[in-house]
Amino acid sequence: MATKRIGILTGGGDVPGLNSVIKAVVYRGSELDFEVTGIRRGWEGLTHVNIEDPQSRARYILPLNPANTRTIDRTGGTFLHTSRTNPAKMKAVPDFLKGKEFPRKENTKRGVTSEVYDVTSQVLKNLEALQLDNLIAIGGDDTLSYAARLDKEGFPVVCIPKTMDNDVRNTEYCIGFSTAITRATDAIERQRTTVGSHERVGIFRVFGRDAGHTALYTAYVSSIRCCIPEYKVNLEKLVELLLADKRTNPSNYCLLVLSEGAEWEGYKVREYGEPDAYGHRKKMSVAEDLSDEIKRRAGEETVVSDLTYDLRGGSPDFVDKLVATTYANMALDALTENKSGVMTAIVNGCFTLSEIPDPKLGPRRVDVPTMYNTDRYRPNYQAKNGLPIFLIRA
Amino acid sequence: MATKRIGILTGGGDVPGLNSVIKAVVYRGSELDFEVTGIRRGWEGLTHVNIEDPQSRARYILPLNPANTRTIDRTGGTFLHTSRTNPAKMKAVPDFLKGKEFPRKENTKRGVTSEVYDVTSQVLKNLEALQLDNLIAIGGDDTLSYAARLDKEGFPVVCIPKTMDNDVRNTEYCIGFSTAITRATDAIERQRTTVGSHERVGIFRVFGRDAGHTALYTAYVSSIRCCIPEYKVNLEKLVELLLADKRTNPSNYCLLVLSEGAEWEGYKVREYGEPDAYGHRKKMSVAEDLSDEIKRRAGEETVVSDLTYDLRGGSPDFVDKLVATTYANMALDALTENKSGVMTAIVNGCFTLSEIPDPKLGPRRVDVPTMYNTDRYRPNYQAKNGLPIFLIRA
Amino acid sequence: MATKRIGILTGGGDVPGLNSVIKAVVYRGSELDFEVTGIRRGWEGLTHVNIEDPQSRARYILPLNPANTRTIDRTGGTFLHTSRTNPAKMKAVPDFLKGKEFPRKENTKRGVTSEVYDVTSQVLKNLEALQLDNLIAIGGDDTLSYAARLDKEGFPVVCIPKTMDNDVRNTEYCIGFSTAITRATDAIERQRTTVGSHERVGIFRVFGRDAGHTALYTAYVSSIRCCIPEYKVNLEKLVELLLADKRTNPSNYCLLVLSEGAEWEGYKVREYGEPDAYGHRKKMSVAEDLSDEIKRRAGEETVVSDLTYDLRGGSPDFVDKLVATTYANMALDALTENKSGVMTAIVNGCFTLSEIPDPKLGPRRVDVPTMYNTDRYRPNYQAKNGLPIFLIRA
Amino acid sequence: MATKRIGILTGGGDVPGLNSVIKAVVYRGSELDFEVTGIRRGWEGLTHVNIEDPQSRARYILPLNPANTRTIDRTGGTFLHTSRTNPAKMKAVPDFLKGKEFPRKENTKRGVTSEVYDVTSQVLKNLEALQLDNLIAIGGDDTLSYAARLDKEGFPVVCIPKTMDNDVRNTEYCIGFSTAITRATDAIERQRTTVGSHERVGIFRVFGRDAGHTALYTAYVSSIRCCIPEYKVNLEKLVELLLADKRTNPSNYCLLVLSEGAEWEGYKVREYGEPDAYGHRKKMSVAEDLSDEIKRRAGEETVVSDLTYDLRGGSPDFVDKLVATTYANMALDALTENKSGVMTAIVNGCFTLSEIPDPKLGPRRVDVPTMYNTDRYRPNYQAKNGLPIFLIRA
């Protein structure tokens, strides 16, 4: 008989490295005589599963073993699938639960108020029905905040942070970040040739609504300018800097990377479309807006390139494999020691177990004074002595 | 003394492989005792150069030799830069030619009529001043059509076709096409993981306004559906096919690649912005429109990914290096034999010299009956026996 | 009921693209209502399978369908496995056939004579027991020669040529060749930086015992020198050319790619180890021998890099996917038309069905007069007009 | 006038990331008004330069500026070239110094004793003649040990550690290590397909004479077995483990990565050839020896793949760009603060300045108890909590 029965799920946007975590949990778990159960589609697997219905069970529950996870770490994404479901804030309860009573409350996100259901009681019931002792939840802020809730309700959870944006608090590193930079720099290196051939201003947009880490680190290793949500640049000065770069470059082009949430003084990012389950709406592309401004102000043609899904596609790079494997093993070590309510993390350059971050604090943002050169609109390269390897303090 | 003085220029959008052509011309030329002069910025180098002005000369004329072209084939793009200037259809004459008389005519492109100048007389004067005997012009339809004109005016030109879209007539292959497919399939393989993790309909958009070769061949080697400008699909049926693919796939996702110029019955691609020098306007993204339709009709979420500049970035793949090097050497062989007014080409699977295509015929489009399965909205895989290697007839 | 029952097998060394063939046969076959049976481990699957023994059957026979071949084209190699078994020349009969009578003959290969068994009668019995109507055999010379034999015995076979070396007769292209060149040029581009940093002579060795196509085309697109089995260079002159290259290069290095079977005047490739099933023995590395000579004669340090298995690893490039898919469909078209004893091929730049090559003629070798510059020890770049795309005549 | 005149050199084997350091020093230096002088070919540039001779000066001294370093970070290697010269242990003095007196001593390395010259006096003279105030020396143990010497002689030096093997003491990270693992895992992923197709035991050999970090971390992220110089495995047990892996794998293959310096009980790595300047001799390939043993003991065929120069080729990955850029800026910050005799480092997960390691202590080796599972011959995955990100203690 298994010494422990562990559930594992992935929530939120996928990143390369999730499958490495899952495989490592299953393989090491099998050595520890743990039984590992995959919960499919993030928290939805625990809100929507109808345990009595074999079809529903097949849709949401997948017993894991070395045989069915052997090759998954060779590809990115999550073979358990993922969703953005938050059991504490559901707009509707699943059909088969219609009629059951769940606590309701008003939820306001980015100015939009709606009534949501908290189906935590059902989640706990399902965890019991599945005979799980513990849960490993892998995700970003949204996913982890519900993990903390569940742990407070008495069901022991260990969290593993992932997000391309690297903006989860209490850790300096989230799985997916290094691969995102790898992809971004690869794309910029490839597309540099077309920007140069046409003598353009090349504008690369990357994910990052509230935190500019992805843009900043791409700029840091590519020696180009960047704009991040944490600092509003002066548009006139930005254009001047870019044109000066272009003139200085014997190939007569220049490059800029900006976060989707970057802004300039006087600019307000426009949003459109319906908010998602967490109240997020799509934003108009600041890259296109900047392109128009550059044309208007300087008569310069641009190349606007949106490096979106490519940053989260493909297989993980070395750092993401290293951290994913280590986080997975740390999570199992924690469960073995009966620790829960913790998150695997890197703090001050070392692996550790952190508190699950308080969602009210919002994402961890770029520390502008140490990391962003507000004069040159590029990363700050000096005074790194003493900083942890990712130049970030958790 | 050099036995021949050859000019070389690249026009239109850049593709990987142009630098391989330039280097091969310079290296082989040096063995043949040819002097090779780079004309910078396509035809603009011959309309805008002020031979008397050293600064203008430096801007537009670059003598080439093995030393300054030794490493250029390791990157994509064109180190000579490129432009879309057509000397026969200039909206304005360069400043230093103001006052000179040039023939004017009305030019109507896509419904827009404007008065344009023909500065061919100046181009010929410049070619003479530069003491060039011949020209090698590398480009797509727009660039090549002016090369044909110049040749008719008595200045011997040999052309080399390039375009990601592979839509130049009289050849089965244009430099850049294979690398474009390589990039597109690489991107789809990477992003497949995120489409699958989220169980979406993945819609990939590639260049191709009038001809769907890039989408079609990407689909051919990726085993996915495609829509091309040459055939209007039925939207309802397309959505049905995609949903069936998704259901059948144990990972619950499906993929589609479409040309920017693809349409469905009843749909008209919307255009926006100003026409460029050749009268082309930007088109609204059919991928976003299709995404909306899929959501509306089937309630399915999509991932829309625009594989634009990435297809023309980076270094050339094997086929593009092979063809670029061979075309370059064929062009020199042609000049050695005093042939001109010809285009290096692949016809019926073999290297040959073709006629420069008549621009009035428009781009070479996909042959729907042999290449597109109008029932299944994907490439046609049968009856390839007898076709040239790229499955295209020039 | 299936209209046809088709077996498929892969023999000899694996190359990227084999899985694309298998998948395409299965998918298109399922549309044609063909039943496709995978024979595992090449011809061994038909000599060693004990039809009565479920375990043996599982080891050698795998019914194929879209579900179990859906993702195989994303990786190289052959998921059916492969072997070098030749049923007409077996050194020993499988255990369960011990006691049965099979024709014996003496077989001499490269000076070694041994007695071999011809178990064709058993192969035919097994094909009948498996109720197969046809066979698609994918392989190089060795594999295809037995396919021809089987076809002559009355069992209809269609062949698909594969080999990294591109040395099968009656076709200008074998699956795997383009990817091999892609890998070789990628490796040389990467390792160029270390050769240059240390100012060395970089010597890259690639597969190619009797035919130098892989080395030659790598050199063609990389602009470097090459040595091939088809031409013995003069060692002194080769060293002189390399040193001149090095001196001329501002980074003070030079590069050479050579086939494993390359030689110089007076040099004899040394062989070692036991001959394989086809009588091939391993050869001493000519690259190491050349390195020693360069040190001895010119006092220059070298970097010797063996690009062996990397050339056949990983996923296929665009050309190999294109050709693999097309060959697979052509094979099915041929079977539909009741053609057999043929090989899918590219001849004169076009897809066609060829005769299966006569093994007595040996591999198709590089045509030195048109393709190799015996003065400069590099590819010949001139007079390509009229040649098929791969610059080879079948 | 420049506020400081800084020399920079790279010594020992090249790795990707050196050019990133050089460019960062030049660019940041130009902001600080430092003049940066490139010393070419490592310490040889300071022992062999004949300041009076313009040709010698051109060979060894290159003034650096943003224009001539703008694009160097896009490729690996070192554009300053490198050598293994140790000015304190020269077997011969340069020709133009013949006749000058230099201290001599006996030097014994790995059992070989020879008389060597210490030309430090000349190095100091040259540094003075070049009017340099400081030196940034980038290299591994051998290069850094002479930097320490020079600093003790009164010439201020700051060191930056690089080595694929990551075996320099007093730091947890040396430039080049991450890229080496990236290359190794990429190669293994590609070649996995051919090992599997042929059902072999795949043996991958990587650099690592005395320290097994490269093999260990490759195994850690690839979930395969490894052998390292720090622990002698039992051959019988190793073969058993591999065969069990192979049997368990439905594709019937298994993989192992080993350091060039790995051994088993009773085995002694054989060396051959002449010792280099530092007394190192080449070692026979333990991978080939292991292959023979596996064939002999278990009758299994192997694929032996030597991942040598590929690990140090190509452009740096994200971590190496990040660390290279940061180390470069830290070195300049140190010089600005008049610190010298220090080495940029990562200690306990954070950037810091360390002491230059004492060469007598030898390379930093794998800590077997925490990092290597001596039962399973693979990395140890448990108890990582508290360790720095690279799981190493400086």
Side-chain angles (χ1 to χ4, degrees), chain A residues 8 26 43 184 229 290 297 352 365:
Chain A
I8 183 167
V26 172
W43 294 117
L290 179 60
R297 287 168 180 249
T352 190
R365 310 185 80 198

Side-chain angles (χ1 to χ4, degrees), chain D residues 164-218:
Chain D
M164 249 173 35
D165 297 339
N166 205 26
D167 62 355
V168 172
R169 284 177 185 271
N170 300 356
T171 184
E172 289 152 17
Y173 194 80
C174 303
I175 297 168
F177 180 58
S178 179
T179 305
I181 309 291
T182 295
R183 292 280 182 281
T185 49
D186 283 356
I188 289 172
E189 276 319 294
R190 284 195 301 271
Q191 297 184 31
R192 179 194 284 285
T193 61
T194 193
V195 179
S197 296
H198 291 270
E199 302 169 272
R200 301 273 170 92
V201 176
I203 304 173
F204 293 88
R205 193 178 74 126
V206 297
F207 283 121
R209 215 171 285 186
D210 302 300
H213 304 286
T214 310
L216 187 81
Y217 285 76
T218 299

Side-chain angles (χ1 to χ4, degrees), chain D residues 57-281:
Chain D
R57 214 177 155 115
R59 178 168 165 80
Y60 287 118
I61 308 299
L62 180 67
L64 301 178
N65 54 55
N68 66 12
T69 56
R70 188 175 67 88
T71 63
I72 62 170
D73 59 329
R74 295 181 205 161
T75 44
T78 166
F79 102 122
L80 287 177
H81 297 303
T82 182
S83 72
R84 297 192 182 276
T85 305
N86 184 333
K89 297 176 185 174
M90 296 187 69
K91 293 200 172 159
V93 297
D95 281 352
F96 82 99
L97 297 177
K98 289 275 158 67
K100 283 204 177 183
E101 274 301 308
F102 293 105
R104 276 184 262 183
K105 65 171 174 180
E106 293 215 328
N107 186 46
T108 303
K109 199 140 193 184
R110 299 182 189 231
V112 182
T113 301
S114 54
E115 199 187 49
V116 294
Y117 298 86
D118 180 346
V119 303
T120 300
S121 58
Q122 181 69 17
V123 167
L124 290 166
K125 216 172 283 179
N126 285 335
L127 288 165
E128 198 186 342
L130 292 165
Q131 296 180 281
L132 296 178
D133 302 317
N134 302 101
L135 196 62
I136 294 178
I138 315 162
D141 270 340
D142 290 327
T143 305
L144 301 186
S145 68
Y146 188 72
R149 162 73 189 282
L150 211 53
D151 195 81
K152 266 173 217 145
E153 296 281 346
F155 190 87
V157 186
V158 170
C159 292
I160 295 179
K162 73 86 213 149
T163 154
M164 249 173 35
D165 297 339
N166 205 26
D167 62 355
V168 172
R169 284 177 185 271
N170 300 356
T171 184
E172 289 152 17
Y173 194 80
C174 303
I175 297 168
F177 180 58
S178 179
T179 305
I181 309 291
T182 295
R183 292 280 182 281
T185 49
D186 283 356
I188 289 172
E189 276 319 294
R190 284 195 301 271
Q191 297 184 31
R192 179 194 284 285
T193 61
T194 193
V195 179
S197 296
H198 291 270
E199 302 169 272
R200 301 273 170 92
V201 176
I203 304 173
F204 293 88
R205 193 178 74 126
V206 297
F207 283 121
R209 215 171 285 186
D210 302 300
H213 304 286
T214 310
L216 187 81
Y217 285 76
T218 299
Y220 190 89
V221 297
S222 303
S223 294
I224 63 177
R225 309 231 175 245
C226 62
C227 300
I228 57 175
E230 290 86 348
Y231 185 82
K232 288 193 191 200
V233 298
N234 176 281
L235 184 57
E236 193 174 346
K237 187 173 169 185
L238 174 65
V239 175
E240 259 170 41
L241 284 168
L242 290 171
L243 295 194
D245 286 352
K246 191 166 179 295
R247 271 193 310 272
T248 314
N249 185 332
S251 286
N252 196 31
Y253 71 94
C254 64
L255 301 177
L256 167 77
V257 57
L258 39 73
S259 309
E260 59 178 326
E263 300 178 8
W264 51 82
E265 290 162 6
Y267 176 74
K268 190 76 199 88
V269 184
R270 286 167 286 170
E271 304 192 335
Y272 69 100
E274 291 298 297
D276 66 16
Y278 296 92
H280 300 155
R281 295 176 65 212

Side-chain angles (χ1 to χ4, degrees), chain A residues 14 41 78 194 197 199 314, chain B residues 14 41 78 190 194 197 199 314:
Chain A
D14 71 309
R41 298 177 174 81
T78 165
T194 195
S197 296
E199 302 170 273
Chain B
D14 72 307
R41 300 176 173 81
T78 166
R190 283 194 302 270
T194 194
S197 295
E199 302 169 275

Side-chain angles (χ1 to χ4, degrees), chain B residues 77-377:
Chain B
T78 166
F79 102 121
L80 287 177
H81 298 303
T82 181
S83 73
R84 297 191 182 277
T85 306
N86 184 333
K89 296 175 183 172
M90 296 187 70
K91 290 197 173 162
V93 296
D95 280 352
F96 82 101
L97 296 177
K98 288 276 158 66
K100 283 206 176 177
E101 275 301 305
F102 292 106
R104 279 185 258 184
K105 64 170 176 181
E106 294 214 324
N107 186 46
T108 303
K109 198 139 193 186
R110 302 185 187 226
V112 182
T113 300
S114 55
E115 200 188 47
V116 294
Y117 299 86
D118 181 347
V119 302
T120 300
S121 58
Q122 182 68 20
V123 168
L124 290 166
K125 216 172 285 177
N126 286 335
L127 287 166
E128 199 186 341
L130 292 166
Q131 295 181 282
L132 297 178
D133 302 317
N134 302 101
L135 198 61
I136 294 177
I138 314 161
D141 270 341
D142 291 327
T143 305
L144 302 186
S145 69
Y146 187 72
R149 163 72 189 283
L150 211 54
D151 195 81
K152 266 173 215 143
E153 296 281 347
F155 189 89
V157 186
V158 170
C159 292
I160 294 179
K162 72 87 214 149
T163 155
M164 248 171 39
D165 296 341
N166 206 25
D167 63 355
V168 172
R169 283 177 186 271
N170 300 356
T171 184
E172 290 152 16
Y173 194 80
C174 302
I175 296 167
F177 180 58
S178 178
T179 305
I181 308 292
T182 294
R183 292 282 182 279
T185 49
D186 283 356
I188 289 172
E189 277 317 295
R190 283 194 302 270
Q191 296 183 33
R192 179 194 285 282
T193 61
T194 194
V195 179
S197 295
H198 292 270
E199 302 169 275
R200 301 273 170 92
V201 176
I203 304 173
F204 294 88
R205 192 178 74 124
V206 296
F207 283 120
R209 214 170 286 186
D210 302 300
H213 304 285
T214 310
L216 187 81
Y217 284 77
T218 299
Y220 190 89
V221 296
S222 303
S223 293
I224 63 177
R225 310 231 176 246
C226 63
C227 299
I228 57 175
E230 290 87 346
Y231 185 82
K232 290 192 191 202
V233 298
N234 176 281
L235 183 57
E236 193 174 345
K237 188 173 167 183
L238 174 65
V239 175
E240 260 169 40
L241 283 168
L242 289 171
L243 296 193
D245 285 353
K246 191 166 178 296
R247 271 194 311 273
T248 313
N249 185 333
S251 286
N252 197 30
Y253 71 94
C254 64
L255 301 177
L256 168 76
V257 57
L258 39 70
S259 309
E260 58 178 326
E263 301 178 7
W264 50 82
E265 290 162 6
Y267 176 74
K268 190 75 200 92
V269 184
R270 286 167 286 171
E271 302 191 338
Y272 70 99
E274 291 298 298
D276 67 17
Y278 296 91
H280 300 155
R281 295 177 65 211
K282 285 186 186 167
K283 297 188 174 184
M284 286 288 289
S285 166
V286 64
E288 290 289 354
D289 287 341
L290 178 61
S291 168
D292 290 348
E293 290 286 357
I294 289 172
K295 275 176 222 169
R296 205 170 57 77
R297 286 166 178 248
E300 287 283 345
E301 294 293 316
T302 65
V303 163
V304 173
S305 189
D306 227 341
L307 308 179
T308 53
Y309 297 102
D310 210 48
L311 302 201
R312 59 183 359 144
S315 54
D317 70 4
F318 166 52
V319 167
D320 275 320
K321 282 185 209 149
L322 177 77
V323 175
T325 304
T326 307
Y327 277 178
N329 281 281
M330 286 171 65
L332 289 176
D333 284 344
L335 290 175
T336 304
E337 298 163 15
N338 294 312
K339 287 175 189 159
S340 80
V342 293
M343 178 177 80
T344 63
I346 293 175
V347 174
N348 216 18
C350 296
F351 287 104
T352 191
L353 296 174
S354 281
E355 219 180 320
I356 302 171
D358 180 351
K360 288 194 205 93
L361 298 175
R364 184 172 51 67
R365 310 186 79 196
V366 169
D367 182 53
V368 171
T370 60
M371 284 304 295
Y372 189 69
N373 186 327
T374 57
D375 248 11
R376 313 279 299 271
Y377 300 165

Side-chain angles (χ1 to χ4, degrees), chain A residues 220 381 384 391, chain D residues 321-331 351:
Chain A
Y220 190 88
Y381 289 100
K384 300 307 180 197
L391 308 173
Chain D
K321 283 185 207 148
L322 177 78
V323 174
T325 304
T326 306
Y327 277 178
N329 280 281
M330 286 171 66
F351 287 105

